[in-house]
Amino acid sequence: MAEIRSTLDLIMEKTRNLTMSEEDRREQALAELKDGLNRLLTKYLQGDMDAGRFREEYGLLENAHVDPDGKAAVQEIARRIDPASDNRPLLVLLRDGFAVDVTGLDNILKKYAETADSEEARSSGIILKNLERRGISGSAVAPNPDSDEQISPAREKLREEFRAALAAEIDRLR
């Protein structure tokens, strides 16, 4: 009588002689670490844990052979920093959870906010002047710089310039 074998048995038979190289093991461990780190970051950013608890949970997650000094974590956290977003939780996590000096990052983000605000004020002034020329004015008139097609590319260019500055600062942290 013929033997009926499960799919798992077939797979085990075909992969019996396969082994993972040390490099493959490191890559797999690092990928697992990053997956766990992203889950922890999601919880942290949602407010489900503070920086100290994050570091404790990450300590349980990390493998001494993969990320003994937390550099992979710092790199992954810093990768999420966006000049146009509120980055305070990420900066607090880097500072309090991993003892990273975030002064440079903070200065770049403040400079971006100042530059973006002044550009928005300038754009709003231009929009108001254009509306006044058309006979539209008054206290109820509020400019919407987001609707101006000329402002959006300039804003994106500014964001990219500051992303480059942030990337350079992140590289310096490593």
Side-chain angles (χ1 to χ4, degrees):
M1 189 152 95
E3 181 181 331
I4 299 175
R5 298 188 310 185
S6 71
T7 305
L8 181 60
D9 290 336
L10 293 171
I11 291 171
M12 293 300 290
E13 182 179 314
K14 291 199 181 275
T15 60
R16 182 178 307 144
N17 297 325
L18 294 179
T19 58
M20 288 181 74
S21 70
E22 188 62 33
E23 180 65 26
D24 290 339
R25 284 189 189 112
R26 270 195 303 273
E27 286 178 16
Q28 182 178 359
L30 187 59
E32 289 172 4
L33 180 75
K34 285 184 178 183
D35 288 343
L37 175 62
N38 283 323
R39 284 191 299 277
L40 288 176
L41 278 170
T42 299
K43 286 182 182 180
Y44 172 76
L45 292 173
Q46 290 174 345
D48 294 339
M49 68 173 64
D50 63 1
R53 173 69 190 239
F54 179 94
R55 186 63 180 137
E56 289 173 15
E57 294 280 332
Y58 182 74
L60 296 173
L61 178 70
E62 73 183 333
N63 180 338
H65 302 295
V66 176
D67 192 25
D69 53 4
K71 285 188 178 183
V74 169
Q75 184 179 39
E76 191 66 23
I77 294 165
R79 183 185 64 79
R80 291 178 172 232
I81 294 176
D82 179 26
S85 300
D86 179 17
N87 295 291
R88 284 176 290 175
L90 295 172
L91 295 176
V92 167
L93 182 59
L94 287 171
R95 185 187 68 225
D96 296 346
F98 292 92
V100 173
D101 180 16
V102 296
T103 307
L105 293 171
D106 196 33
N107 289 338
I108 292 169
L109 292 169
K110 284 179 183 175
K111 180 71 174 164
Y112 172 81
E114 291 169 2
T115 306
D117 287 347
S118 68
E119 282 297 311
E120 187 169 327
R122 186 185 66 76
S123 299
S124 294
I126 291 170
I127 291 170
L128 281 175
K129 286 180 184 176
N130 288 339
L131 289 173
E132 284 179 17
R133 275 189 248 145
R134 295 181 186 165
I136 303 170
S137 63
S139 60
V141 175
N144 183 4
D146 294 332
S147 66
D148 191 350
E149 298 87 26
Q150 294 174 348
I151 294 171
S152 186
R155 187 178 289 161
E156 189 57 37
K157 182 181 178 212
L158 178 67
R159 187 178 295 152
E160 288 305 317
E161 288 172 7
F162 277 89
R163 279 189 184 138
L166 282 170
E169 180 64 20
I170 290 167
D171 285 342
R172 189 194 65 75
L173 290 176
R174 290 186 217 146

